[in-house]
RNA sequence: GCCCGGUUCGUCUAGCGGUCUAGGACAUCGCCCUCUCACGGCGAAGAUCACGGGUUCGAAUCCCGUACCGGGUACCA
């Protein structure tokens, strides 16, 4: 243990490209990366594409892209296992020569039979060379029959290792038996290629999912047969869905690209994932932890042993915090992309916002700003801001009943439109948000609010009963950013138009009843 | 079946023999702020520490058993 400390740490993330980068894998990548950054070591990526049946280039591309998006980029060029076949072959040869591996001619039928028999007797099935007669094997060999290559596992005794997360784990060698390391077509298998590549790449610590625990003793046997000291191991508990089953597609989003599409920020996902199954040494700490802090405090020793349920709600909360804390320019750029997807005209040079006093960029910046503290994902913004781009097609049903179901109420709404219209110019002379600093908008809002409030007081109606109908008329909804901010970005004409259109609609509605 | 693990509020976790009448975060509920929503602030509720035995003056913390959950049991990774 001490001697490994003297070597510069080298860790790797080794996904098999059979699908999207799953959040479970992403977390494994993250923990490796954090470990490397914390220890000043090297983080590598190796694509394990030896299973040609299931591996695709598209998956490789996606995985690499997701890693990059998360900021988990390797310190050396990405390795592809399929391109390392010559190295695997050389090591295989070594094992064959030293007698640590042998050609196994035992036919599949015989294996199935042995397996069946072991199960019937309540034993674990562990193949041994002795189970197939030598002379028969020689006959098949002479006849050029197909064979697999098996690793000759030690007979008797135990293989043990000290997992950084799980502690001491030991397994009886006889429960493992002689396992296959190369297929009949000559291609090597995971347990073998993995070890060879990790040796060749100088890996000092292997951190991967808990599902690999059973592979570890086999791999340790191979290290020893090759005369190499095995690296350290750290296995990570699995991520579960709300039903406590292994997290899978049927639980909803599980791929990193899906989270990206949902409008999750990479730093929020990283932060959330880091805290799933790991906690810093402090008893109390701010869970929104910048990357530097994460790196500084990270240690595999503090990884939890038990599987964790993925809590989507908490991720959304954390993402909201990151949206609010991110530099405005960054959020603005990201949101603009999404707004443009839905309303492509905003990127046209001739785009004119509804408030003619404003040009596009300050207008966009302004409305985006209004939605920031109301959004948990980037995808929330377009929904949040839709009424700035489209006139309301309908009005909230309950609010209509409450605020616009009598001629008096509609008349009141129209009267507020008059007050607003009259106040507009004057408010602009007091403080013009179009040309002045940040507080100008606040002052303008106050100037707009004042006459409306005074009128409400005189009429003896609560201000809320004045503001809500206007909000309903201009947005169609009962919830929005502060009313006067909304009105400003809508502009005078659009505001008045919408109020009158709504009043008309409300009257027609009453008639039809 | 067999092998290997795991088990603290609904969820993520702190806890490594006395400081625990178990701490924090998300979610929930209430209050405050308030033109609505949100943000923010304050507060409440929520865990007989899976269960049963030990060890000990003393156990969420150590040991054993049981239950439940998970992983593995491939010529997948």
């Amino acid at each position: 243990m001490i001697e490994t400390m003297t070597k510069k740490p080298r860790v790797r993330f080794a996904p098999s490209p059979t699908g999207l980068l799953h959040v479970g894998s992403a977390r494994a990548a993250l923990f490796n990366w954090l470990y490397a950054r914390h220890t000043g070591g090297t983080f590598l990526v190796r694509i394990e594409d030896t299973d040609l049946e299931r591996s695709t280039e598209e998956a490789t591309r996606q995985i690499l892209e997701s890693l990059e998006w998360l900021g988990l980029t390797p310190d050396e060029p990405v390795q592809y296992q399929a391109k390392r076949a010559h190295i695997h072959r050389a090591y295989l040869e070594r094992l064959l020569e030293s007698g640590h591996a042998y050609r196994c001619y035992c036919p599949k039928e015989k294996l199935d039979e042995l397996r069946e028999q072991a199960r019937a007797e309540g034993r674990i099935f562990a193949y041994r060379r002795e189970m197939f007669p030598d002379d028969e094997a020689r006959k098949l060999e002479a006849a050029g029959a197909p064979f697999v290559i098996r690793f000759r596992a030690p007979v008797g005794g135990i293989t043990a290792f000290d997992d950084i997360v799980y502690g001491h784990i030991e397994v009886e060698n006889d429960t493992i038996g002689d396992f296959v390391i190369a297929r009949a077509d000559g291609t090597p298998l995971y347990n073998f290629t993995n070890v060879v590549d990790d040796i060749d790449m100088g890996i000092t610590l292997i951190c991967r999912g808990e599902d690999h625990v059973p592979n570890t003793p086999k791999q340790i046997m191979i290290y020893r047969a090759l005369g190499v000291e095995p690296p350290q191991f750290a296995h990570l508990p699995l991520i579960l869905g709300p039903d406590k089953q292994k997290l899978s597609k049927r639980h909803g989003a599980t791929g990193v690209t899906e989270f990206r599409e949902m409008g999750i920020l990479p730093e929020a996902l990283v932060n959330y994932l880091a805290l799933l199954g790991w906690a810093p040494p402090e008893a109390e700490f701010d869970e929104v932890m910048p990357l530097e802090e994460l790196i500084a405090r990270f240690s595999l020793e503090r990884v939890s042993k038990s599987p964790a349920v993925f809590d989507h709600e908490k991720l959304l909360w954390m993402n909201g915090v990151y949206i609010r804390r991110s530099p405005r320019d960054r959020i603005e750029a990201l949101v603009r992309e999404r707004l443009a997807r839905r309303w492509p005209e905003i990127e046209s040079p001739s785009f004119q916002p509804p408030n003619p006093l404003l040009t596009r960029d300050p207008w966009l910046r302004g409305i985006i700003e209004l939605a920031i503290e109301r959004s948990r994902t980037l995808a929330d913004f377009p929904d949040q801001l839709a009424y700035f781009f489209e006139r309301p097609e309908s009005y909230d049903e309950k609010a209509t009943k409450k605020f616009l179901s009598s001629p008096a109420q509609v008349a009141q709404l129209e009267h507020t439109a008059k007050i607003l219209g009259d106040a507009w110019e004057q408010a602009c002379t007091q403080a013009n948000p179009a040309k002045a600093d940040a507080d100008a908008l606040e002052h303008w809002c106050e100037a707009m609010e004042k006459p409306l409030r005074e009128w409400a007081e005189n009429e003896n109606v609560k201000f809320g009963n004045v503001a809500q109908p206007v909000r309903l008329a201009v947005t169609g909804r009962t919830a929005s950013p502060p009313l006067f901010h909304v009105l400003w970005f809508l502009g005078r004409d659009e505001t008045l138009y919408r109020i009158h259109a709504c009043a008309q609609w409300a009257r027609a509605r009453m008639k039809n009843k």
Side-chain angles (χ1 to χ4, degrees):
Chain A
M1 210 110 304
I2 305 295
E3 62 272 23
T4 56
M5 299 296 287
T6 60
K7 276 191 278 179
K8 210 176 166 217
R10 282 172 72 84
V11 293
R12 101 278 125 121
F13 172 57
S16 56
T18 55
L20 297 178
L21 181 64
H22 186 272
V23 283
S25 308
R27 189 180 57 155
L30 172 62
F31 282 24
N32 274 292
W33 185 89
L34 285 172
Y35 174 83
R37 292 294 83 94
H38 181 86
T39 57
T42 306
F43 172 71
L44 305 169
V45 171
R46 183 175 72 232
I47 302 291
E48 307 226 317
D49 50 359
T50 42
D51 182 0
L52 283 332
E53 298 283 304
R54 301 193 299 147
S55 301
T56 67
E57 272 178 41
E58 173 58 14
T60 302
R61 220 206 75 238
Q62 293 246 34
I63 289 170
L64 261 18
E65 190 187 287
S66 291
L67 286 175
E68 184 165 355
W69 180 68
L70 290 168
L72 309 178
T73 48
D75 300 319
E76 289 175 15
V78 176
Q79 297 270 5
Y80 293 86
Q81 201 164 51
K83 290 183 188 153
R84 306 168 58 85
H86 59 287
I87 303 173
H88 305 141
R89 221 168 294 131
Y91 276 87
L92 200 55
E93 219 39 62
R94 258 172 74 179
L95 286 182
L96 247 12
E97 269 164 34
S98 65
H100 285 106
Y102 62 91
R103 298 181 170 84
C104 175
Y105 290 90
C106 184
K108 197 166 186 315
E109 300 72 48
K110 167 94 174 164
L111 280 173
D112 290 342
E113 194 182 304
L114 288 167
R115 219 187 308 269
E116 193 49 46
Q117 193 182 331
R119 204 191 153 83
E121 290 169 20
R123 294 192 333 259
I124 193 165
F125 173 64
Y127 183 85
R128 285 299 191 179
R129 184 171 198 167
E130 295 71 28
M131 291 178 176
F132 192 64
D134 259 2
D135 50 334
E136 257 186 74
R138 268 192 293 275
K139 253 183 264 172
L140 286 166
E141 184 174 12
F147 60 86
V148 297
I149 295 175
R150 284 185 184 272
F151 180 78
R152 181 60 169 154
V155 177
I158 58 163
T159 295
F161 63 101
D162 290 292
D163 191 280
I164 295 175
V165 174
Y166 284 93
H168 188 77
I169 294 179
E170 54 180 48
V171 169
E172 284 183 44
N173 293 148
D174 290 338
T175 65
I176 292 175
D178 300 348
F179 53 94
V180 179
I181 54 175
R183 299 182 178 93
D185 67 4
T187 57
L189 256 18
Y190 169 75
N191 278 128
F192 177 71
T193 52
N194 203 259
V195 170
V196 169
D197 287 331
D198 285 336
I199 291 173
D200 192 64
M201 290 165 69
I203 300 304
T204 60
L205 180 146
I206 293 174
C207 171
R208 80 248 276 202
E210 191 241 42
D211 47 338
H212 286 294
V213 169
N215 288 324
T216 308
K218 295 180 185 175
Q219 295 176 188
I220 288 174
M221 289 174 179
I222 298 176
Y223 277 101
R224 296 207 172 122
L226 254 13
V228 177
E229 180 67 20
Q232 287 185 281
F233 291 94
H235 288 90
L236 268 18
L238 265 22
I239 298 180
L240 309 179
D243 57 357
K244 311 250 179 173
Q245 300 289 104
K246 193 172 175 177
L247 189 70
S248 66
K249 307 97 237 146
R250 56 192 185 78
H251 298 294
T254 54
V256 169
T257 48
E258 297 173 89
F259 287 101
R260 180 181 188 175
E261 194 44 47
M262 283 167 54
I264 300 293
L265 262 19
E267 57 270 42
L269 187 54
V270 161
N271 192 156
Y272 176 73
L273 251 19
L275 258 22
L276 242 202
W278 174 82
E282 295 80 10
E284 283 181 33
F285 59 96
D286 189 352
E287 298 204 4
V288 180
M289 202 180 288
L291 200 54
E292 283 63 36
E293 299 261 313
L294 240 29
I295 292 169
R297 296 176 197 206
F298 187 76
S299 73
L300 289 167
E301 282 76 11
R302 292 193 56 85
V303 172
S304 156
K305 289 180 179 58
S306 47
V309 173
F310 193 89
D311 185 355
H312 207 85
E313 278 297 318
K314 190 160 181 174
L315 204 215
L316 290 178
W317 162 75
M318 192 167 273
N319 200 55
V321 174
Y322 272 94
I323 284 177
R324 271 171 257 131
R325 293 195 191 172
S326 288
R328 289 297 149 94
D329 288 354
R330 168 149 184 264
I331 297 302
E332 193 193 320
L334 256 15
V335 171
R336 249 177 98 144
E337 252 173 60
R338 285 177 185 261
L339 292 178
R341 251 193 257 173
R342 191 144 145 198
W343 298 285
E345 65 269 23
I346 66 168
E347 293 306 342
S348 140
S350 59
F351 176 77
Q352 174 57 54
N355 183 343
L357 301 176
L358 288 170
T359 53
R360 177 184 58 196
D361 289 359
W363 183 75
L364 282 172
R365 204 172 305 135
I367 62 170
I368 289 169
E369 168 86 32
L370 291 183
I372 281 182
E373 64 188 21
R374 294 169 176 78
S375 302
R376 296 197 296 177
T377 70
L378 297 175
D380 288 345
F381 283 83
D383 296 332
Q384 206 84 242
L385 299 172
Y387 51 81
F388 283 112
F389 300 90
E390 294 160 4
R391 289 174 175 159
E393 280 173 12
S394 62
Y395 302 94
D396 181 88
E397 195 46 43
K398 269 179 74 180
T400 305
K401 282 204 185 102
K402 185 169 177 192
F403 297 115
L404 295 175
S405 57
S406 77
Q409 288 176 313
V410 177
Q412 189 213 72
L413 174 63
E414 285 183 311
H415 187 68
T416 57
K418 185 172 181 331
I419 297 171
L420 290 169
D422 293 347
W424 205 288
E425 310 299 338
Q426 211 202 333
C428 279
T429 56
Q430 282 181 26
N432 191 338
K435 37 186 104 152
D437 49 284
D439 342 297
L441 181 54
E442 300 306 318
H443 289 126
W444 182 87
C445 287
E446 280 167 34
M448 288 292 284
E449 183 171 343
K450 206 171 158 231
L452 208 57
R453 231 177 234 289
E454 279 166 1
W455 176 79
E457 224 163 280
N458 284 341
E459 296 293 310
N460 210 6
V461 303
K462 281 206 296 208
F463 188 68
N465 288 136
V466 176
Q468 276 307 76
V470 177
R471 169 172 284 114
L472 185 65
V474 297
T475 69
R477 1 226 261 210
T478 55
S480 84
L483 183 63
F484 299 99
H485 287 75
V486 172
L487 298 187
W488 168 252
F489 289 104
L490 240 25
R492 183 177 186 273
D493 292 351
E494 183 64 18
T495 294
L496 299 183
Y497 174 88
R498 288 188 185 190
I499 293 176
H500 287 120
C502 177
Q504 230 170 339
W505 171 85
R507 278 211 192 82
R509 182 172 172 277
M510 280 185 280
K511 245 180 230 157
N512 293 341
K513 281 244 157 145

